[in-house]
Amino acid sequence: MSATPESPGIDASAVDALREERLDWRFKGVPAEAFGRTAGEFLSGRPRLFDAGFVGPLLVLDDSALTHNLATMARWCERHGVLLAPHGKTTMAPQLFRRQLDHGAWGVTAANISQLRVYRAFGVRRVLLANQLLDPAGLAWLAGELDRDPEFEVSCWVDSVDGVRLMTEALAGRGSRPLDVLVELGWEGARTGVRSVPEAVEVARAVAESPALRLAGVGGYEGAAAHGTAAAALSTVDDYMARMREVVGELARAELFGEVQRIIVTGGGSAYFDQVAEAFAAAWPTAKPVDPVLRSGAYVTHDDGLYRRNSPFGRPHRLAGEESPFRPAMRIWAQVTSRPEPGLALVTMGRRDVSFDQDLPEPQVHRGSDGVVRELPGCKVTSLADQHAFLAVDEPGPRIGEWVGFGLSHPCTVFDKWPLIPVVDGEEVVDLVRTFF
């Protein structure tokens, strides 16, 4: 087992070019005074969040929290001998991919071919496509991309003999490099993936016989088998990882990994990566070295809900360490627009702006007319409309026109609502993160 230190890289010039994009009406929240200027030109003036003309609601990212989370995860992975290919679907932000890669990430994970095309537009050179790709048009594009760039490395999932056949047919006569695939391990009652070790061997044999594919490892997602942090869920994760190790051992004994020099074994979302790393740490029953790869993605921003409850750093975790918990980096600011009755405030954000699939936004602070940010106790979001949040308040509560800052849960369903996100150091805007959904 070896955690190789080299970065797979990203095209820095393509990422830097995002600062040359001109700001306009496409980007909600951006000051009208910035229209026509490039992002770099706007940032050169060191704009202040509440003085530069931003309009609400407005999602922001805290730069110090991002830096802390990136460094914390990198340090932890190095300590425990695992590689990291963070799931890029969380943010779909090449500027954040670059920061993750600069902190030692081995690669970036994608969920579908459209996401992968975004990654390639910014020159990401090593990608795990943590899904099955049977679309002939997508496979044709991918084969061409492999031929176009000899430094590009990619692997995707497969979980059936039929899938192997369809991929092989779609790739016939296309490309000079075989497509690396990982046998995907599932779980009874969960989503995709083989359900048994014998089935994994059967699929792997079909891959070995395909002229278009190459077996590169085993992958899966333990979070599809377990939910929450109760003892039963944690036990299921351990059982899942034991089965993954068994699959790797059986495929190795059957000599199905063929010509690959290193075997990729990958799992690990944002809730159970400690248990996954623990399973990866034991010696592997293979003659070839194993690259153990986590795919945790939400750590980069963390949150004030789902992952605050479930992250190993927010609860007693199995692998001891001295890491500080991740810090929530997302906050949305919205203005109180109505106080129609006692105990109720309406603020200018809703389902079009924030996540609500796991938890409702958490009111944390408010910024008074004097510009001072204060704690906001005794408030709770009770429901969301498309463009309004209903805020139950203890009187006197925030006044009409004041701004309320909310913590958010589940970053994956926040980022997709914001094509451009200010990054702040205090109230100074130090970057504008561009997303591509």
Side-chain angles (χ1 to χ4, degrees), residues 362-417:
E362 179 182 271
Q364 296 175 335
V365 296
H366 84 287
R367 189 177 190 273
S369 56
D370 57 2
V372 177
V373 176
R374 300 176 175 87
E375 298 289 322
L376 185 62
C379 293
K380 181 180 180 181
V381 173
T382 59
S383 64
L384 294 173
D386 273 2
Q387 310 291 173
H388 293 89
F390 293 76
L391 187 62
V393 302
D394 287 346
E395 296 299 346
R399 299 175 181 177
I400 290 175
E402 293 184 335
W403 292 85
V404 178
F406 297 82
L408 300 173
S409 178
H410 198 198
C412 295
T413 49
V414 178
F415 274 82
D416 61 339
K417 299 170 175 60

Coordinates of all heavy atoms in Angstrom, one line a residue, residues 362-417:
E362 N -30.1 27.1 9.2 CA -30.0 27.4 10.6 C -29.6 28.8 10.8 O -28.5 29.3 10.5 CB -28.9 26.5 11.2 CG -28.6 26.7 12.7 CD -27.5 25.8 13.2 OE1 -27.8 24.7 13.6 OE2 -26.3 26.2 13.1
P363 N -30.6 29.7 11.4 CA -30.2 31.1 11.6 C -29.2 31.2 12.7 O -29.3 30.6 13.8 CB -31.5 31.7 12.1 CG -32.4 30.5 12.5 CD -31.9 29.4 11.7
Q364 N -28.1 31.9 12.5 CA -27.0 32.0 13.4 C -26.7 33.4 13.9 O -26.4 33.6 15.1 CB -25.7 31.4 12.7 CG -25.9 29.9 12.4 CD -24.7 29.3 11.6 OE1 -24.0 30.0 10.9 NE2 -24.5 28.0 11.7
V365 N -26.6 34.3 13.0 CA -26.2 35.7 13.3 C -27.1 36.7 12.5 O -27.8 36.3 11.6 CB -24.7 36.0 13.0 CG1 -23.8 35.1 13.8 CG2 -24.5 35.8 11.5
H366 N -27.1 37.9 13.0 CA -27.7 39.0 12.2 C -26.9 40.2 12.3 O -26.1 40.5 13.2 CB -29.2 39.3 12.7 CG -29.3 40.2 13.8 ND1 -29.0 39.9 15.1 CD2 -29.8 41.5 13.8 CE1 -29.2 40.9 15.9 NE2 -29.7 41.9 15.1
R367 N -27.0 41.0 11.2 CA -26.1 42.2 11.0 C -27.1 43.4 11.1 O -28.0 43.6 10.3 CB -25.4 42.2 9.7 CG -24.4 43.3 9.5 CD -23.7 43.1 8.2 NE -22.5 44.0 8.0 CZ -22.6 45.3 7.6 NH1 -23.8 45.8 7.2 NH2 -21.5 46.0 7.5
G368 N -26.9 44.1 12.2 CA -27.8 45.3 12.5 C -27.5 46.4 11.6 O -26.6 46.5 10.8
S369 N -28.4 47.4 11.7 CA -28.2 48.7 10.9 C -26.9 49.4 11.2 O -26.4 50.2 10.5 CB -29.4 49.6 11.1 OG -29.5 49.9 12.5
D370 N -26.3 49.1 12.4 CA -25.0 49.7 12.8 C -23.8 48.9 12.2 O -22.7 49.3 12.4 CB -24.9 49.7 14.3 CG -25.0 48.4 14.9 OD1 -25.2 47.3 14.2 OD2 -25.0 48.3 16.2
G371 N -24.1 47.8 11.4 CA -23.0 47.1 10.8 C -22.4 46.1 11.7 O -21.4 45.4 11.2
V372 N -22.8 45.9 12.9 CA -22.3 44.9 13.8 C -23.0 43.6 13.7 O -24.2 43.5 13.6 CB -22.4 45.4 15.3 CG1 -21.9 44.4 16.2 CG2 -21.6 46.7 15.4
V373 N -22.2 42.5 13.6 CA -22.8 41.2 13.5 C -22.9 40.6 14.9 O -21.9 40.5 15.6 CB -21.9 40.3 12.6 CG1 -22.4 38.8 12.6 CG2 -21.8 40.8 11.2
R374 N -24.1 40.1 15.2 CA -24.3 39.6 16.6 C -25.0 38.2 16.5 O -25.6 37.8 15.5 CB -25.3 40.5 17.3 CG -24.8 41.9 17.5 CD -25.9 42.8 18.2 NE -25.4 44.2 18.5 CZ -25.4 45.2 17.6 NH1 -25.9 45.0 16.4 NH2 -25.0 46.4 17.9
E375 N -24.8 37.4 17.6 CA -25.5 36.1 17.7 C -27.0 36.3 17.6 O -27.5 37.4 17.9 CB -25.1 35.5 19.0 CG -23.6 35.1 19.2 CD -23.2 34.0 18.2 OE1 -24.0 33.1 18.0 OE2 -22.0 34.1 17.7
L376 N -27.7 35.3 17.1 CA -29.1 35.4 16.9 C -29.8 34.2 17.6 O -30.2 33.2 16.9 CB -29.5 35.4 15.4 CG -30.9 35.7 15.1 CD1 -31.4 37.0 15.6 CD2 -31.1 35.6 13.5
P377 N -30.0 34.2 18.9 CA -30.6 33.1 19.6 C -32.1 33.2 19.4 O -32.7 34.2 19.0 CB -30.2 33.4 21.0 CG -30.1 34.8 21.2 CD -29.5 35.3 19.8
G378 N -32.8 32.1 19.7 CA -34.2 32.1 19.7 C -34.9 32.2 18.4 O -36.1 32.6 18.3
C379 N -34.2 31.8 17.3 CA -34.8 31.9 16.0 C -34.7 30.5 15.3 O -33.8 29.7 15.5 CB -34.1 32.9 15.1 SG -34.3 34.6 15.6
K380 N -35.7 30.2 14.4 CA -35.8 28.9 13.7 C -36.5 29.1 12.4 O -37.6 29.7 12.4 CB -36.4 27.9 14.6 CG -36.5 26.5 14.0 CD -37.2 25.5 14.9 CE -37.3 24.1 14.3 NZ -38.0 23.1 15.1
V381 N -35.9 28.5 11.4 CA -36.7 28.4 10.1 C -37.7 27.3 10.2 O -37.3 26.2 10.5 CB -35.7 28.2 8.9 CG1 -36.5 28.0 7.6 CG2 -34.7 29.3 8.8
T382 N -38.9 27.7 10.0 CA -40.0 26.7 10.1 C -40.4 26.1 8.7 O -40.9 25.0 8.6 CB -41.2 27.3 10.7 OG1 -41.7 28.4 10.0 CG2 -40.9 27.7 12.2
S383 N -40.2 26.9 7.6 CA -40.5 26.4 6.3 C -39.9 27.3 5.3 O -39.5 28.4 5.6 CB -42.0 26.2 6.1 OG -42.7 27.5 6.1
L384 N -39.9 26.8 4.0 CA -39.3 27.5 2.9 C -40.4 27.6 1.8 O -41.0 26.6 1.5 CB -38.1 26.9 2.4 CG -36.8 26.9 3.3 CD1 -35.7 26.1 2.6 CD2 -36.3 28.3 3.5
A385 N -40.5 28.7 1.2 CA -41.2 28.8 -0.1 C -40.1 29.0 -1.2 O -38.9 28.9 -0.9 CB -42.1 30.0 -0.1
D386 N -40.5 29.2 -2.4 CA -39.5 29.3 -3.5 C -38.5 30.4 -3.2 O -37.3 30.3 -3.4 CB -40.2 29.6 -4.8 CG -40.6 28.3 -5.5 OD1 -40.4 27.2 -4.9 OD2 -41.1 28.3 -6.6
Q387 N -39.0 31.6 -2.7 CA -38.1 32.8 -2.5 C -38.2 33.4 -1.1 O -37.7 34.4 -0.9 CB -38.5 33.8 -3.6 CG -38.6 33.4 -5.0 CD -37.3 33.0 -5.6 OE1 -37.3 32.5 -6.7 NE2 -36.2 33.1 -4.9
H388 N -38.9 32.7 -0.2 CA -39.0 33.2 1.1 C -38.7 32.1 2.2 O -39.0 30.9 1.9 CB -40.4 33.7 1.4 CG -40.8 35.0 0.6 ND1 -41.4 34.9 -0.6 CD2 -40.7 36.3 0.9 CE1 -41.6 36.1 -1.0 NE2 -41.2 37.0 -0.1
A389 N -38.2 32.5 3.3 CA -38.0 31.6 4.5 C -38.9 32.2 5.6 O -38.9 33.4 5.8 CB -36.6 31.6 4.9
F390 N -39.6 31.3 6.3 CA -40.4 31.7 7.4 C -39.6 31.5 8.7 O -39.1 30.4 9.0 CB -41.7 30.8 7.5 CG -42.6 31.1 6.3 CD1 -42.4 30.6 5.1 CD2 -43.8 31.8 6.5 CE1 -43.3 30.8 4.0 CE2 -44.7 32.0 5.5 CZ -44.4 31.5 4.2
L391 N -39.3 32.6 9.4 CA -38.4 32.6 10.5 C -39.2 32.8 11.8 O -39.8 33.9 12.0 CB -37.4 33.6 10.3 CG -36.2 33.7 11.3 CD1 -35.4 32.4 11.3 CD2 -35.3 34.8 11.0
A392 N -39.3 31.8 12.7 CA -39.9 32.1 14.0 C -38.9 32.7 14.9 O -37.8 32.3 15.0 CB -40.4 30.7 14.6
V393 N -39.3 33.8 15.5 CA -38.3 34.6 16.3 C -38.8 34.9 17.7 O -40.0 35.0 17.9 CB -38.0 36.0 15.6 CG1 -37.5 35.7 14.2 CG2 -39.3 36.8 15.5
D394 N -37.9 35.0 18.6 CA -38.2 35.5 19.9 C -38.1 37.0 19.8 O -37.2 37.6 19.2 CB -37.2 35.0 21.0 CG -37.4 33.6 21.3 OD1 -38.5 33.0 21.0 OD2 -36.5 33.0 21.9
E395 N -39.1 37.7 20.3 CA -39.1 39.2 20.2 C -38.0 39.8 21.1 O -37.7 39.3 22.1 CB -40.5 39.7 20.6 CG -41.6 39.3 19.7 CD -41.4 39.8 18.2 OE1 -40.6 40.7 18.0 OE2 -42.1 39.3 17.4
P396 N -37.4 40.9 20.6 CA -37.8 41.7 19.5 C -37.4 41.1 18.2 O -38.0 41.5 17.1 CB -37.1 43.1 19.8 CG -35.9 42.7 20.5 CD -36.3 41.6 21.4
G397 N -36.3 40.3 18.1 CA -35.9 39.7 16.8 C -35.3 40.7 15.9 O -35.3 41.9 16.1
P398 N -34.9 40.2 14.7 CA -34.3 41.1 13.7 C -35.3 42.0 13.1 O -36.5 41.6 12.9 CB -33.7 40.2 12.7 CG -34.5 38.9 12.8 CD -34.8 38.8 14.3
R399 N -34.9 43.2 12.8 CA -35.9 44.2 12.2 C -35.9 44.1 10.7 O -35.0 43.6 10.1 CB -35.4 45.6 12.6 CG -35.4 45.9 14.1 CD -34.8 47.2 14.4 NE -34.7 47.5 15.9 CZ -34.2 48.6 16.4 NH1 -33.6 49.5 15.6 NH2 -34.2 48.7 17.7
I400 N -37.0 44.7 10.2 CA -37.1 44.8 8.7 C -35.9 45.6 8.2 O -35.4 46.6 8.7 CB -38.4 45.5 8.3 CG1 -39.6 44.7 8.6 CG2 -38.4 45.9 6.8 CD1 -40.9 45.3 8.4
G401 N -35.3 45.0 7.1 CA -34.1 45.6 6.5 C -32.8 45.0 7.0 O -31.7 45.2 6.3
E402 N -32.8 44.4 8.2 CA -31.5 43.8 8.7 C -31.2 42.5 8.0 O -32.1 41.8 7.4 CB -31.6 43.6 10.2 CG -31.7 44.9 10.9 CD -31.6 44.8 12.4 OE1 -32.0 43.7 12.9 OE2 -31.2 45.7 13.1
W403 N -30.0 42.1 8.0 CA -29.5 40.9 7.4 C -29.3 39.7 8.4 O -28.8 40.0 9.5 CB -28.2 41.1 6.6 CG -28.4 42.0 5.5 CD1 -28.3 43.4 5.5 CD2 -28.6 41.7 4.1 NE1 -28.5 43.9 4.2 CE2 -28.7 42.9 3.4 CE3 -28.7 40.5 3.4 CZ2 -28.9 42.9 2.0 CZ3 -28.9 40.5 2.1 CH2 -29.0 41.7 1.4
V404 N -29.7 38.5 8.0 CA -29.6 37.4 8.8 C -28.6 36.4 8.1 O -28.8 36.1 6.9 CB -30.9 36.7 9.1 CG1 -30.7 35.4 10.0 CG2 -31.8 37.7 9.9
G405 N -27.6 35.8 8.8 CA -26.7 34.8 8.3 C -27.1 33.5 8.7 O -27.3 33.2 9.9
F406 N -27.2 32.5 7.8 CA -27.7 31.2 8.0 C -26.7 30.2 7.7 O -26.0 30.3 6.7 CB -28.9 30.9 7.2 CG -30.2 31.7 7.4 CD1 -30.3 33.0 6.8 CD2 -31.2 31.2 8.2 CE1 -31.4 33.7 7.0 CE2 -32.3 32.0 8.4 CZ -32.4 33.3 7.9
G407 N -26.5 29.1 8.6 CA -25.7 28.0 8.2 C -26.6 27.0 7.4 O -27.8 27.0 7.5
L408 N -26.0 26.2 6.6 CA -26.7 25.3 5.7 C -26.2 23.9 5.8 O -25.1 23.6 6.3 CB -26.4 25.8 4.2 CG -26.9 27.2 3.9 CD1 -26.4 27.6 2.5 CD2 -28.4 27.3 4.1
S409 N -27.1 23.0 5.4 CA -26.8 21.5 5.5 C -26.7 21.0 4.1 O -27.4 21.4 3.2 CB -27.9 20.8 6.3 OG -27.7 19.4 6.3
H410 N -25.8 20.0 3.9 CA -25.6 19.2 2.7 C -25.2 20.1 1.5 O -26.0 20.6 0.7 CB -26.9 18.5 2.3 CG -26.7 17.4 1.3 ND1 -27.7 16.8 0.6 CD2 -25.6 16.7 0.9 CE1 -27.2 15.9 -0.2 NE2 -25.9 15.8 0.0
P411 N -23.9 20.4 1.4 CA -23.4 21.3 0.4 C -23.7 20.9 -1.0 O -23.8 21.7 -1.9 CB -21.9 21.3 0.6 CG -21.6 20.1 1.5 CD -22.8 19.8 2.3
C412 N -23.9 19.5 -1.3 CA -24.1 19.1 -2.6 C -25.4 19.7 -3.2 O -25.5 19.9 -4.5 CB -24.3 17.6 -2.7 SG -22.8 16.7 -2.2
T413 N -26.4 20.1 -2.4 CA -27.6 20.7 -2.9 C -27.7 22.2 -2.7 O -28.8 22.8 -2.7 CB -28.8 20.0 -2.4 OG1 -28.7 19.8 -1.0 CG2 -29.0 18.6 -3.0
V414 N -26.5 22.8 -2.4 CA -26.4 24.2 -2.3 C -25.7 24.8 -3.5 O -26.1 25.7 -4.2 CB -25.7 24.7 -1.0 CG1 -25.6 26.2 -0.9 CG2 -26.4 24.2 0.2
F415 N -24.5 24.2 -3.8 CA -23.7 24.7 -4.8 C -24.4 24.8 -6.2 O -24.1 25.7 -7.0 CB -22.4 23.9 -5.0 CG -21.3 24.3 -4.0 CD1 -21.3 23.8 -2.7 CD2 -20.3 25.1 -4.4 CE1 -20.3 24.2 -1.8 CE2 -19.2 25.5 -3.6 CZ -19.3 25.1 -2.3
D416 N -25.2 23.8 -6.5 CA -25.9 23.8 -7.8 C -26.8 25.0 -8.0 O -27.2 25.2 -9.2 CB -26.6 22.5 -8.0 CG -27.7 22.2 -7.0 OD1 -27.7 22.9 -5.9 OD2 -28.6 21.4 -7.3
K417 N -27.1 25.7 -7.0 CA -28.0 26.9 -7.2 C -27.2 28.2 -7.4 O -27.9 29.2 -7.6 CB -28.9 27.0 -5.9 CG -29.8 25.8 -5.7 CD -30.5 25.8 -4.4 CE -31.4 24.7 -4.2 NZ -30.8 23.3 -4.3

